[in-house]
Amino acid sequence: MYVSMSRLAVPAERAPEPVAAFKSPARLAGSATGFIDLQLWQSDRDAGEVVMVGRWSDRGVFTAYLKSADHKASHRRIDPGRKADITMRELEHTPTYEMVAE
Amino acid sequence: MYVSMSRLAVPAERAPEPVAAFKSPARLAGSATGFIDLQLWQSDRDAGEVVMVGRWSDRGVFTAYLKSADHKASHRRIDPGRKADITMRELEHTPTYEMVAE
């Protein structure tokens, strides 16, 4: 299994919004072959720290998704106000991992 | 669901070892009520970056585990050579999250 992890910094006062905001990308990614699931984690010490964890069957599936029309569409569908919030604060590169044990 | 994430920096040349090294802690945590699983992720860009992801039914279960004899035992069982490697490089605090969507 292959894991992608995006750590986003969003304004804490908008913390209740991520669940709704990320449902569309999850639906889109869900149509990609080899996509397992997309989880949204919210820090319990800093409500403004949100982690998106994507799980994929292997690295190839993930990189194919990044190049896909679905991926572009998922970013287009982010609310413009939210996008500005995220971009202004920080949008780190996406660390990726092989799940080596569980 | 509650998630704990420990990011460890280990020497890349010892990268093949983590799977075996972390099997004991996983077994011990497995005896805690409310423990779901312990996953080990290894970066595919930096073999020395290893993430331990623990999943728990809720925050209370996790904090109870931290105070337990099982937790102390799991740390005692880490190979002394490995422990020195980890400590010398970096042993971050453990960020924790509520899984708010999947």
Side-chain angles (χ1 to χ4, degrees), chain B residues 40-77:
Chain B
L40 191 68
W41 302 353
Q42 180 171 32
S43 169
D44 59 343
R45 295 182 201 184
D46 171 7
E49 184 197 341
V50 172
V51 182
M52 286 177 61
V53 177
R55 303 197 304 167
W56 316 81
S57 57
D58 58 59
R59 183 174 190 279
V61 163
F62 172 68
T63 55
Y65 168 68
L66 287 187
K67 294 172 189 164
S68 71
D70 279 353
H71 179 244
K72 286 191 187 70
S74 77
H75 279 244
R76 262 203 311 276
R77 290 174 64 170

Side-chain angles (χ1 to χ4, degrees), chain A residues 32-43:
Chain A
T33 308
F35 168 79
I36 297 168
D37 62 15
L38 181 66
Q39 302 171 355
L40 192 67
W41 302 353
Q42 182 172 31
S43 169

Side-chain angles (χ1 to χ4, degrees), chain A residues 72-98:
Chain A
K72 287 192 187 71
S74 77
H75 279 244
R76 263 202 311 277
R77 289 174 65 171
I78 298 173
D79 171 76
R82 163 156 294 277
K83 201 168 188 172
D85 280 347
I86 296 172
T87 308
M88 284 169 58
R89 293 287 294 271
E90 179 186 25
L91 188 56
E92 281 183 27
H93 86 284
T94 301
T96 46
Y97 303 90
E98 289 290 345

Side-chain angles (χ1 to χ4, degrees), chain A residues 2-8 38 51-56 59 62-63 65-66 71 75 91-97, chain B residues 7 41 43-45 49:
Chain A
Y2 192 75
V3 179
S4 62
M5 182 172 67
S6 303
R7 303 180 77 163
L8 311 179
L38 181 66
V51 181
M52 287 177 62
V53 177
R55 302 196 305 166
W56 316 81
R59 184 174 189 277
F62 172 68
T63 55
Y65 168 69
L66 287 186
H71 179 246
H75 279 244
L91 188 56
E92 281 183 27
H93 86 284
T94 301
T96 46
Y97 303 90
Chain B
R7 303 179 76 162
W41 302 353
S43 169
D44 59 343
R45 295 182 201 184
E49 184 197 341

